[in-house]
Coordinates of all heavy atoms in Angstrom, one line a residue:
M17 N -9.1 14.6 -25.2 CA -9.2 13.5 -26.2 C -10.1 14.0 -27.3 O -11.2 14.6 -27.1 CB -9.8 12.3 -25.5 CG -9.9 11.2 -26.4 SD -10.5 9.7 -25.5 CE -11.9 9.3 -26.5
A18 N -9.8 13.6 -28.5 CA -10.6 13.9 -29.7 C -11.9 13.0 -29.7 O -11.8 11.8 -29.4 CB -9.8 13.7 -30.9
K19 N -13.0 13.6 -30.0 CA -14.2 12.9 -30.1 C -14.9 13.0 -31.5 O -15.7 12.3 -31.8 CB -15.2 13.4 -29.0 CG -14.8 13.1 -27.6 CD -15.8 13.4 -26.6 CE -15.2 13.2 -25.3 NZ -16.0 12.5 -24.3
F20 N -14.4 14.0 -32.2 CA -15.0 14.3 -33.5 C -13.9 14.7 -34.5 O -12.9 15.3 -34.1 CB -16.0 15.4 -33.4 CG -16.7 15.7 -34.7 CD1 -17.7 14.9 -35.1 CD2 -16.4 16.9 -35.4 CE1 -18.4 15.2 -36.3 CE2 -17.1 17.2 -36.6 CZ -18.1 16.3 -37.0
A21 N -14.0 14.4 -35.8 CA -13.0 14.8 -36.8 C -13.7 15.0 -38.1 O -14.8 14.5 -38.4 CB -11.9 13.8 -36.9
F22 N -13.0 15.7 -39.0 CA -13.3 15.8 -40.4 C -12.2 15.2 -41.2 O -11.0 15.4 -40.9 CB -13.5 17.3 -40.9 CG -14.7 18.0 -40.4 CD1 -14.6 19.0 -39.4 CD2 -15.9 17.6 -40.8 CE1 -15.7 19.7 -39.0 CE2 -17.1 18.3 -40.4 CZ -17.0 19.3 -39.5
L23 N -12.5 14.5 -42.3 CA -11.6 14.1 -43.3 C -12.1 14.7 -44.6 O -13.2 14.3 -45.0 CB -11.4 12.6 -43.4 CG -10.5 12.1 -44.5 CD1 -9.1 12.6 -44.3 CD2 -10.6 10.6 -44.6
I24 N -11.3 15.6 -45.2 CA -11.8 16.3 -46.4 C -10.9 15.9 -47.5 O -9.6 16.0 -47.4 CB -11.8 17.8 -46.2 CG1 -12.7 18.2 -45.0 CG2 -12.3 18.5 -47.4 CD1 -12.5 19.6 -44.5
E25 N -11.4 15.4 -48.6 CA -10.6 15.0 -49.8 C -11.0 16.0 -50.9 O -12.1 16.3 -51.1 CB -11.0 13.6 -50.2 CG -10.1 13.1 -51.3 CD -10.3 11.6 -51.5 OE1 -11.1 11.2 -52.3 OE2 -9.6 10.8 -50.8
M26 N -9.9 16.5 -51.5 CA -10.1 17.6 -52.5 C -9.2 17.2 -53.7 O -8.1 16.8 -53.6 CB -9.6 18.9 -52.0 CG -10.3 19.3 -50.7 SD -9.2 20.3 -49.6 CE -8.0 19.2 -49.1
K27 N -9.8 17.4 -54.9 CA -9.1 17.2 -56.2 C -8.8 18.6 -56.8 O -9.8 19.3 -57.1 CB -9.9 16.3 -57.1 CG -9.2 16.0 -58.4 CD -8.0 15.1 -58.2 CE -7.4 14.6 -59.5 NZ -6.2 13.8 -59.4
A28 N -7.6 19.0 -56.9 CA -7.2 20.3 -57.4 C -7.6 20.3 -58.9 O -7.5 19.3 -59.7 CB -5.8 20.6 -57.3
K29 N -8.1 21.5 -59.4 CA -8.3 21.7 -60.8 C -6.9 21.6 -61.5 O -5.9 22.1 -60.8 CB -9.0 23.0 -61.1 CG -10.5 23.0 -60.7 CD -11.1 24.3 -61.0 CE -12.6 24.2 -60.7 NZ -13.3 25.4 -61.0
P30 N -6.8 21.2 -62.7 CA -5.5 21.1 -63.4 C -4.8 22.5 -63.4 O -5.4 23.5 -63.6 CB -5.9 20.7 -64.8 CG -7.2 19.9 -64.6 CD -7.9 20.6 -63.5
G31 N -3.5 22.4 -63.0 CA -2.7 23.6 -62.9 C -2.9 24.5 -61.7 O -2.2 25.5 -61.5
K32 N -3.8 24.0 -60.7 CA -4.0 24.8 -59.5 C -3.3 24.2 -58.3 O -3.5 24.7 -57.2 CB -5.5 24.8 -59.2 CG -6.4 25.5 -60.2 CD -6.5 27.0 -59.9 CE -7.4 27.7 -60.9 NZ -7.7 29.1 -60.5
E33 N -2.4 23.2 -58.5 CA -1.8 22.6 -57.4 C -1.0 23.5 -56.5 O -1.1 23.5 -55.3 CB -0.9 21.4 -57.9 CG -1.6 20.3 -58.5 CD -2.0 20.5 -60.0 OE1 -1.6 21.5 -60.6 OE2 -2.7 19.6 -60.5
A34 N -0.2 24.4 -57.1 CA 0.5 25.4 -56.3 C -0.4 26.3 -55.5 O -0.1 26.6 -54.3 CB 1.5 26.2 -57.2
E35 N -1.5 26.7 -56.1 CA -2.5 27.6 -55.4 C -3.1 26.8 -54.2 O -3.3 27.4 -53.2 CB -3.6 28.0 -56.3 CG -3.2 29.2 -57.2 CD -4.4 29.7 -58.0 OE1 -5.3 30.2 -57.4 OE2 -4.3 29.5 -59.2
V36 N -3.4 25.5 -54.5 CA -4.0 24.7 -53.4 C -3.0 24.6 -52.2 O -3.4 24.7 -51.1 CB -4.4 23.3 -53.9 CG1 -4.7 22.3 -52.8 CG2 -5.6 23.4 -54.9
E37 N -1.7 24.4 -52.5 CA -0.8 24.2 -51.4 C -0.6 25.5 -50.7 O -0.5 25.5 -49.4 CB 0.5 23.7 -52.0 CG 0.3 22.2 -52.4 CD 1.5 21.6 -53.1 OE1 2.7 22.0 -52.8 OE2 1.3 20.6 -53.9
A38 N -0.6 26.6 -51.3 CA -0.6 27.9 -50.7 C -1.8 28.1 -49.8 O -1.8 28.6 -48.7 CB -0.4 29.1 -51.7
F39 N -3.0 27.8 -50.4 CA -4.2 27.8 -49.6 C -4.2 27.0 -48.4 O -4.6 27.5 -47.3 CB -5.4 27.4 -50.6 CG -6.7 27.2 -49.9 CD1 -7.5 28.2 -49.5 CD2 -7.1 25.9 -49.6 CE1 -8.7 28.0 -48.9 CE2 -8.4 25.7 -49.0 CZ -9.1 26.8 -48.6
L40 N -3.7 25.8 -48.5 CA -3.6 24.9 -47.3 C -2.7 25.5 -46.2 O -3.0 25.4 -45.0 CB -3.2 23.5 -47.7 CG -4.3 22.7 -48.5 CD1 -3.7 21.4 -48.9 CD2 -5.5 22.5 -47.7
A41 N -1.6 26.1 -46.7 CA -0.7 26.7 -45.7 C -1.4 27.8 -45.0 O -1.2 28.0 -43.7 CB 0.6 27.2 -46.4
K42 N -2.2 28.6 -45.7 CA -2.9 29.7 -45.1 C -4.0 29.2 -44.1 O -4.1 29.7 -43.0 CB -3.6 30.6 -46.1 CG -4.3 31.8 -45.5 CD -4.9 32.7 -46.5 CE -5.6 33.8 -45.8 NZ -6.5 34.6 -46.7
E43 N -4.6 28.1 -44.5 CA -5.6 27.5 -43.6 C -5.0 27.0 -42.3 O -5.6 27.2 -41.3 CB -6.3 26.3 -44.3 CG -7.2 26.6 -45.5 CD -8.5 27.2 -45.0 OE1 -9.4 26.5 -44.5 OE2 -8.7 28.4 -45.2
A44 N -3.8 26.4 -42.4 CA -3.1 26.0 -41.2 C -2.9 27.1 -40.3 O -3.0 27.0 -39.0 CB -1.8 25.3 -41.6
S45 N -2.5 28.3 -40.8 CA -2.3 29.4 -39.9 C -3.6 29.9 -39.3 O -3.6 30.4 -38.2 CB -1.6 30.6 -40.7 OG -2.4 31.2 -41.6
L46 N -4.7 29.8 -40.0 CA -6.0 30.2 -39.5 C -6.5 29.4 -38.3 O -7.2 29.8 -37.4 CB -7.1 30.3 -40.6 CG -6.9 31.3 -41.6 CD1 -7.9 31.1 -42.7 CD2 -7.0 32.7 -41.1
V47 N -6.1 28.1 -38.3 CA -6.7 27.2 -37.3 C -5.7 27.0 -36.1 O -6.1 26.3 -35.1 CB -7.1 25.8 -37.9 CG1 -8.1 25.9 -39.0 CG2 -5.8 25.0 -38.4
K48 N -4.5 27.5 -36.2 CA -3.5 27.2 -35.2 C -3.9 27.5 -33.8 O -3.6 26.8 -32.8 CB -2.2 27.7 -35.5 CG -2.0 29.2 -35.3 CD -0.5 29.6 -35.6 CE -0.4 30.9 -35.1 NZ 1.0 31.4 -35.1
D49 N -4.7 28.6 -33.6 CA -5.2 29.0 -32.2 C -6.7 28.8 -32.0 O -7.2 29.3 -31.1 CB -4.8 30.4 -32.0 CG -3.3 30.7 -32.0 OD1 -2.6 29.8 -31.4 OD2 -2.8 31.7 -32.5
E50 N -7.3 28.0 -32.9 CA -8.7 27.7 -32.8 C -9.0 26.9 -31.5 O -8.5 25.8 -31.4 CB -9.1 27.0 -34.1 CG -10.5 27.2 -34.5 CD -10.8 26.5 -35.8 OE1 -10.6 25.3 -35.9 OE2 -11.1 27.3 -36.7
P51 N -9.9 27.4 -30.7 CA -10.3 26.6 -29.5 C -11.0 25.3 -29.9 O -11.8 25.3 -30.8 CB -11.3 27.5 -28.7 CG -11.4 28.7 -29.5 CD -10.6 28.6 -30.8
G52 N -10.6 24.2 -29.2 CA -11.2 22.9 -29.5 C -10.7 22.1 -30.7 O -11.1 21.0 -30.9
N53 N -9.8 22.7 -31.5 CA -9.2 22.0 -32.6 C -7.9 21.4 -32.1 O -7.0 22.1 -31.7 CB -8.9 23.0 -33.7 CG -8.4 22.4 -35.0 OD1 -7.7 21.4 -35.0 ND2 -8.9 22.9 -36.1
L54 N -7.9 20.1 -32.0 CA -6.7 19.4 -31.5 C -5.6 19.2 -32.5 O -4.4 19.3 -32.2 CB -7.1 18.1 -30.9 CG -8.1 18.2 -29.7 CD1 -8.6 16.8 -29.3 CD2 -7.5 18.9 -28.6
T55 N -6.0 18.8 -33.7 CA -5.0 18.6 -34.8 C -5.5 19.1 -36.1 O -6.7 19.1 -36.3 CB -4.7 17.0 -34.9 OG1 -5.9 16.4 -35.3 CG2 -4.1 16.5 -33.6
W56 N -4.6 19.4 -37.0 CA -5.0 19.8 -38.3 C -3.8 19.4 -39.2 O -2.7 19.8 -39.0 CB -5.2 21.3 -38.4 CG -5.8 21.7 -39.7 CD1 -7.1 21.9 -40.0 CD2 -5.1 22.0 -41.0 NE1 -7.3 22.3 -41.3 CE2 -6.0 22.4 -41.9 CE3 -3.8 22.0 -41.3 CZ2 -5.7 22.7 -43.2 CZ3 -3.4 22.3 -42.6 CH2 -4.4 22.7 -43.6
H57 N -4.1 18.6 -40.3 CA -3.0 18.2 -41.2 C -3.5 18.4 -42.6 O -4.6 17.9 -43.0 CB -2.7 16.7 -41.0 CG -2.3 16.3 -39.6 ND1 -1.0 16.4 -39.2 CD2 -3.0 15.9 -38.6 CE1 -1.0 16.1 -37.9 NE2 -2.2 15.8 -37.5
G58 N -2.8 19.1 -43.4 CA -3.1 19.2 -44.8 C -2.0 18.4 -45.6 O -0.8 18.5 -45.3
S59 N -2.4 17.5 -46.5 CA -1.4 16.7 -47.1 C -1.8 16.4 -48.6 O -2.9 16.6 -49.0 CB -1.3 15.3 -46.4 OG -2.6 14.8 -46.1
K60 N -0.8 16.1 -49.3 CA -0.9 15.7 -50.7 C -0.7 14.2 -50.8 O 0.2 13.6 -50.3 CB 0.2 16.4 -51.5 CG 0.2 16.2 -53.0 CD 1.0 17.2 -53.8 CE 2.5 16.9 -53.8 NZ 3.2 17.8 -54.8
V61 N -1.6 13.6 -51.6 CA -1.5 12.1 -51.7 C -0.5 11.7 -52.7 O -0.5 12.2 -53.9 CB -2.9 11.5 -52.1 CG1 -2.8 10.0 -52.3 CG2 -4.0 11.9 -51.1
E62 N 0.5 10.9 -52.3 CA 1.6 10.5 -53.2 C 1.0 9.6 -54.3 O 0.2 8.8 -54.1 CB 2.6 9.7 -52.4 CG 3.5 10.5 -51.5 CD 4.6 9.7 -50.9 OE1 4.9 8.6 -51.3 OE2 5.2 10.2 -49.9
G63 N 1.5 9.9 -55.6 CA 1.1 9.0 -56.7 C -0.2 9.4 -57.3 O -0.7 8.7 -58.2
D64 N -0.9 10.4 -56.8 CA -2.2 10.8 -57.3 C -2.2 12.3 -57.5 O -2.5 13.1 -56.6 CB -3.3 10.3 -56.4 CG -4.7 10.3 -57.1 OD1 -4.9 11.0 -58.1 OD2 -5.5 9.5 -56.6
T65 N -1.8 12.8 -58.7 CA -1.6 14.2 -58.9 C -2.8 15.0 -58.6 O -3.9 14.7 -59.1 CB -1.2 14.4 -60.4 OG1 0.0 13.6 -60.7 CG2 -1.0 15.9 -60.7
G66 N -2.6 16.0 -57.8 CA -3.7 16.9 -57.5 C -4.7 16.5 -56.4 O -5.6 17.2 -56.2
L67 N -4.4 15.4 -55.8 CA -5.3 14.9 -54.7 C -4.7 15.3 -53.4 O -3.6 15.0 -53.0 CB -5.5 13.4 -54.8 CG -6.5 12.8 -53.8 CD1 -7.9 13.4 -54.1 CD2 -6.5 11.3 -54.0
Y68 N -5.6 16.0 -52.6 CA -5.2 16.5 -51.3 C -6.2 16.0 -50.2 O -7.3 15.8 -50.6 CB -5.1 18.0 -51.3 CG -4.0 18.6 -52.2 CD1 -4.3 18.7 -53.6 CD2 -2.8 18.8 -51.7 CE1 -3.3 19.2 -54.4 CE2 -1.8 19.3 -52.6 CZ -2.0 19.5 -53.9 OH -1.1 19.9 -54.7
R69 N -5.7 16.0 -49.0 CA -6.6 15.7 -47.9 C -6.3 16.5 -46.7 O -5.1 16.9 -46.5 CB -6.4 14.2 -47.5 CG -7.0 13.2 -48.5 CD -7.1 11.8 -48.0 NE -7.7 11.0 -49.0 CZ -7.2 9.9 -49.5 NH1 -6.0 9.5 -49.0 NH2 -7.8 9.2 -50.4
V70 N -7.3 16.9 -46.0 CA -7.2 17.6 -44.7 C -7.8 16.7 -43.6 O -9.0 16.2 -43.8 CB -7.8 19.0 -44.7 CG1 -7.9 19.5 -43.3 CG2 -7.1 19.9 -45.6
F71 N -7.1 16.5 -42.5 CA -7.7 15.8 -41.4 C -7.6 16.7 -40.2 O -6.5 17.2 -39.9 CB -6.9 14.4 -41.1 CG -7.4 13.8 -39.9 CD1 -8.6 13.0 -39.9 CD2 -6.8 13.9 -38.7 CE1 -9.1 12.4 -38.8 CE2 -7.2 13.3 -37.5 CZ -8.4 12.5 -37.6
D72 N -8.7 17.0 -39.6 CA -8.6 17.7 -38.3 C -9.5 17.1 -37.3 O -10.5 16.5 -37.6 CB -8.9 19.2 -38.5 CG -10.1 19.5 -39.4 OD1 -10.7 18.6 -40.0 OD2 -10.3 20.7 -39.5
S73 N -9.0 17.2 -36.0 CA -9.8 16.5 -34.9 C -10.1 17.6 -33.9 O -9.4 18.6 -33.7 CB -9.0 15.4 -34.3 OG -7.8 15.8 -33.7
F74 N -11.2 17.3 -33.2 CA -11.7 18.3 -32.2 C -12.1 17.6 -30.9 O -12.4 16.4 -30.9 CB -13.0 18.9 -32.9 CG -12.7 19.5 -34.2 CD1 -12.9 18.8 -35.4 CD2 -12.3 20.9 -34.3 CE1 -12.6 19.4 -36.6 CE2 -12.0 21.4 -35.5 CZ -12.2 20.7 -36.7
V75 N -12.2 18.4 -29.9 CA -12.7 17.9 -28.6 C -14.1 17.4 -28.6 O -14.4 16.5 -27.9 CB -12.5 19.0 -27.5 CG1 -11.0 19.3 -27.2 CG2 -13.3 20.2 -27.7
D76 N -14.9 18.0 -29.5 CA -16.3 17.5 -29.6 C -16.9 18.0 -30.9 O -16.2 18.8 -31.6 CB -17.2 17.9 -28.4 CG -17.2 19.4 -28.1 OD1 -17.0 20.2 -29.1 OD2 -17.5 19.7 -27.0
E77 N -18.1 17.6 -31.2 CA -18.7 18.0 -32.5 C -19.0 19.5 -32.5 O -18.9 20.1 -33.6 CB -20.0 17.2 -32.7 CG -20.6 17.3 -34.1 CD -21.7 16.3 -34.4 OE1 -21.9 15.4 -33.6 OE2 -22.3 16.4 -35.4
A78 N -19.3 20.1 -31.4 CA -19.6 21.5 -31.4 C -18.3 22.3 -31.8 O -18.4 23.3 -32.5 CB -20.0 21.9 -30.0
A79 N -17.2 21.9 -31.4 CA -15.9 22.5 -31.8 C -15.7 22.4 -33.3 O -15.2 23.3 -34.0 CB -14.7 22.0 -31.0
G80 N -16.1 21.2 -33.8 CA -16.0 21.0 -35.3 C -16.9 21.9 -36.0 O -16.6 22.5 -37.1
E81 N -18.1 22.1 -35.5 CA -19.1 23.0 -36.2 C -18.6 24.4 -36.1 O -18.8 25.2 -37.0 CB -20.5 22.8 -35.5 CG -21.1 21.5 -35.7 CD -21.3 21.1 -37.2 OE1 -21.5 21.9 -38.0 OE2 -21.2 19.9 -37.5
A82 N -18.0 24.8 -34.9 CA -17.5 26.2 -34.8 C -16.4 26.4 -35.8 O -16.3 27.5 -36.4 CB -17.0 26.4 -33.3
H83 N -15.5 25.4 -36.0 CA -14.5 25.5 -37.0 C -15.0 25.7 -38.4 O -14.5 26.6 -39.1 CB -13.6 24.2 -36.9 CG -12.8 24.0 -38.1 ND1 -11.6 24.7 -38.3 CD2 -12.9 23.1 -39.2 CE1 -11.1 24.3 -39.5 NE2 -11.9 23.3 -40.0
M84 N -16.0 25.0 -38.8 CA -16.6 25.2 -40.1 C -17.3 26.5 -40.3 O -17.3 27.1 -41.4 CB -17.6 24.0 -40.4 CG -16.9 22.7 -40.5 SD -15.6 22.6 -41.8 CE -16.6 22.2 -43.2
A85 N -17.8 27.1 -39.2 CA -18.4 28.4 -39.3 C -17.4 29.5 -39.1 O -17.8 30.7 -39.4 CB -19.5 28.5 -38.1
G86 N -16.2 29.2 -38.7 CA -15.2 30.2 -38.5 C -14.4 30.6 -39.8 O -14.8 30.2 -40.9
P87 N -13.3 31.4 -39.6 CA -12.6 31.9 -40.8 C -12.1 30.8 -41.7 O -12.2 31.0 -43.0 CB -11.5 32.7 -40.2 CG -11.9 33.1 -38.8 CD -12.8 31.9 -38.4
A88 N -11.5 29.7 -41.2 CA -11.0 28.7 -42.1 C -12.1 28.0 -42.9 O -11.9 27.8 -44.1 CB -10.1 27.7 -41.3
G89 N -13.1 27.6 -42.2 CA -14.2 26.9 -42.9 C -14.9 27.8 -43.9 O -15.2 27.4 -45.0
Q90 N -15.1 29.1 -43.6 CA -15.7 30.0 -44.5 C -14.8 30.2 -45.8 O -15.3 30.3 -46.9 CB -16.1 31.3 -43.8 CG -17.2 31.1 -42.8 CD -18.4 30.5 -43.4 OE1 -19.0 31.0 -44.4 NE2 -18.8 29.3 -42.9
E91 N -13.5 30.4 -45.5 CA -12.6 30.6 -46.7 C -12.6 29.3 -47.6 O -12.5 29.4 -48.8 CB -11.2 30.9 -46.2 CG -10.3 31.2 -47.4 CD -9.0 32.0 -47.0 OE1 -8.9 32.4 -45.8 OE2 -8.2 32.1 -47.9
F92 N -12.7 28.1 -47.0 CA -12.8 26.9 -47.8 C -14.0 27.0 -48.7 O -13.9 26.7 -49.9 CB -12.8 25.7 -46.8 CG -12.9 24.4 -47.6 CD1 -11.8 23.8 -48.2 CD2 -14.2 23.8 -47.8 CE1 -12.0 22.6 -48.9 CE2 -14.3 22.6 -48.5 CZ -13.2 22.0 -49.1
V93 N -15.1 27.3 -48.1 CA -16.4 27.4 -48.9 C -16.2 28.4 -50.0 O -16.6 28.1 -51.2 CB -17.6 27.7 -48.0 CG1 -18.8 28.1 -48.8 CG2 -17.8 26.6 -47.0
E94 N -15.6 29.6 -49.7 CA -15.5 30.6 -50.7 C -14.5 30.3 -51.8 O -14.7 30.7 -53.0 CB -15.0 31.9 -50.0 CG -16.0 32.5 -49.1 CD -15.5 33.7 -48.3 OE1 -14.3 34.1 -48.5 OE2 -16.2 34.1 -47.3
R95 N -13.5 29.5 -51.6 CA -12.5 29.2 -52.6 C -12.6 27.9 -53.3 O -12.0 27.6 -54.3 CB -11.1 29.2 -51.9 CG -10.6 30.5 -51.2 CD -10.2 31.6 -52.1 NE -9.3 31.2 -53.3 CZ -8.0 31.1 -53.3 NH1 -7.3 31.2 -52.2 NH2 -7.4 30.7 -54.4
A96 N -13.5 27.0 -52.8 CA -13.6 25.6 -53.3 C -13.9 25.6 -54.8 O -13.2 24.8 -55.5 CB -14.6 24.8 -52.5
D97 N -14.8 26.3 -55.3 CA -15.2 26.3 -56.7 C -14.0 26.7 -57.6 O -13.9 26.2 -58.7 CB -16.4 27.1 -57.0 CG -17.7 26.5 -56.5 OD1 -17.7 25.3 -56.2 OD2 -18.7 27.2 -56.4
D98 N -13.2 27.6 -57.1 CA -12.0 28.1 -57.9 C -10.9 27.1 -57.9 O -10.2 26.9 -58.9 CB -11.5 29.4 -57.3 CG -10.3 29.9 -58.0 OD1 -10.3 30.0 -59.3 OD2 -9.3 30.3 -57.4
L99 N -10.7 26.4 -56.8 CA -9.5 25.5 -56.6 C -9.7 24.1 -56.9 O -8.8 23.4 -57.4 CB -9.0 25.6 -55.2 CG -8.4 27.0 -54.8 CD1 -8.1 27.0 -53.3 CD2 -7.2 27.4 -55.6
F100 N -10.9 23.6 -56.7 CA -11.1 22.1 -56.7 C -12.2 21.7 -57.7 O -13.2 22.3 -57.9 CB -11.6 21.6 -55.3 CG -10.7 22.1 -54.2 CD1 -11.1 22.9 -53.2 CD2 -9.4 21.7 -54.2 CE1 -10.3 23.4 -52.2 CE2 -8.5 22.1 -53.2 CZ -9.0 23.0 -52.2
S101 N -11.9 20.5 -58.4 CA -12.9 20.0 -59.3 C -13.8 19.0 -58.5 O -15.0 18.8 -58.9 CB -12.2 19.2 -60.4 OG -11.4 18.2 -59.9
E102 N -13.4 18.5 -57.4 CA -14.2 17.6 -56.5 C -13.8 17.9 -55.0 O -12.6 18.1 -54.7 CB -13.9 16.2 -56.8 CG -14.1 15.7 -58.2 CD -13.6 14.3 -58.4 OE1 -13.7 13.5 -57.5 OE2 -13.1 14.0 -59.5
T103 N -14.8 17.8 -54.2 CA -14.5 17.8 -52.7 C -15.4 16.8 -52.1 O -16.6 16.6 -52.5 CB -14.7 19.2 -52.1 OG1 -16.1 19.6 -52.3 CG2 -13.8 20.3 -52.6
K104 N -14.9 16.2 -51.0 CA -15.7 15.3 -50.3 C -15.4 15.5 -48.8 O -14.2 15.5 -48.4 CB -15.4 13.8 -50.7 CG -16.2 12.8 -50.0 CD -15.9 11.4 -50.5 CE -16.7 10.4 -49.9 NZ -16.4 9.0 -50.4
V105 N -16.4 15.8 -48.0 CA -16.2 16.0 -46.5 C -16.8 14.8 -45.8 O -18.0 14.6 -45.9 CB -16.9 17.3 -46.1 CG1 -16.7 17.5 -44.6 CG2 -16.3 18.5 -46.9
L106 N -16.0 14.1 -45.0 CA -16.5 13.1 -44.2 C -16.5 13.5 -42.7 O -15.5 14.1 -42.2 CB -15.6 11.8 -44.3 CG -15.5 11.2 -45.7 CD1 -14.4 10.2 -45.7 CD2 -16.8 10.6 -46.1
R107 N -17.6 13.3 -42.0 CA -17.7 13.6 -40.6 C -17.4 12.3 -39.9 O -18.1 11.3 -40.1 CB -19.1 14.1 -40.3 CG -19.4 15.4 -41.1 CD -20.9 15.8 -41.0 NE -21.3 16.0 -39.6 CZ -21.2 17.2 -39.0 NH1 -20.8 18.2 -39.6 NH2 -21.6 17.3 -37.7
L108 N -16.5 12.4 -38.9 CA -16.0 11.2 -38.2 C -16.3 11.3 -36.7 O -16.0 12.3 -36.1 CB -14.5 11.0 -38.5 CG -14.1 11.0 -39.9 CD1 -12.5 11.0 -40.0 CD2 -14.6 9.9 -40.7
Q109 N -16.8 10.2 -36.2 CA -16.9 10.0 -34.7 C -15.6 9.3 -34.3 O -15.4 8.1 -34.8 CB -18.1 9.3 -34.3 CG -19.4 10.0 -34.7 CD -19.6 11.3 -34.0 OE1 -19.3 11.5 -32.8 NE2 -20.1 12.3 -34.7
V110 N -14.8 9.9 -33.6 CA -13.5 9.2 -33.2 C -13.8 8.2 -32.1 O -14.4 8.4 -31.1 CB -12.5 10.3 -32.6 CG1 -11.2 9.6 -32.2 CG2 -12.2 11.3 -33.7
V111 N -13.3 6.9 -32.4 CA -13.5 5.8 -31.5 C -12.2 5.4 -30.8 O -12.3 4.7 -29.8 CB -14.1 4.6 -32.2 CG1 -15.5 5.0 -32.7 CG2 -13.3 4.1 -33.3
A112 N -11.1 5.9 -31.2 CA -9.8 5.6 -30.6 C -8.9 6.8 -30.9 O -8.9 7.4 -31.9 CB -9.2 4.3 -31.1
F113 N -8.0 7.1 -29.9 CA -7.2 8.3 -30.0 C -5.9 8.1 -29.2 O -6.0 7.5 -28.1 CB -7.9 9.5 -29.5 CG -7.2 10.8 -29.6 CD1 -7.2 11.5 -30.8 CD2 -6.5 11.4 -28.5 CE1 -6.5 12.7 -30.9 CE2 -5.9 12.6 -28.6 CZ -5.8 13.3 -29.8
K114 N -4.8 8.5 -29.8 CA -3.5 8.3 -29.1 C -3.1 9.6 -28.5 O -3.1 10.7 -29.1 CB -2.5 7.8 -30.0 CG -1.1 7.8 -29.4 CD -0.1 7.4 -30.5 CE 1.2 8.1 -30.1 NZ 2.1 8.4 -31.1

């Protein structure tokens, strides 16, 4: 059962949408075998050009911290200034899970 999650909202810099989508596809491949990562979803918000969200859930907060310190989290930090005009990371305590 998930106990912890991140919801990350990112606004792509103008003209960087295709790069952002390729970046998110690569991120998905980096987390697919990550221990403790239960779900990972990268999505584009309909009707809001350049707005993307990532939601990922973890068995516990320690797994979430390991994710952020691992390859996917580090690549996000390294590429954020180039790809995004805004980012917002929400740390979530999961209170219900299906």
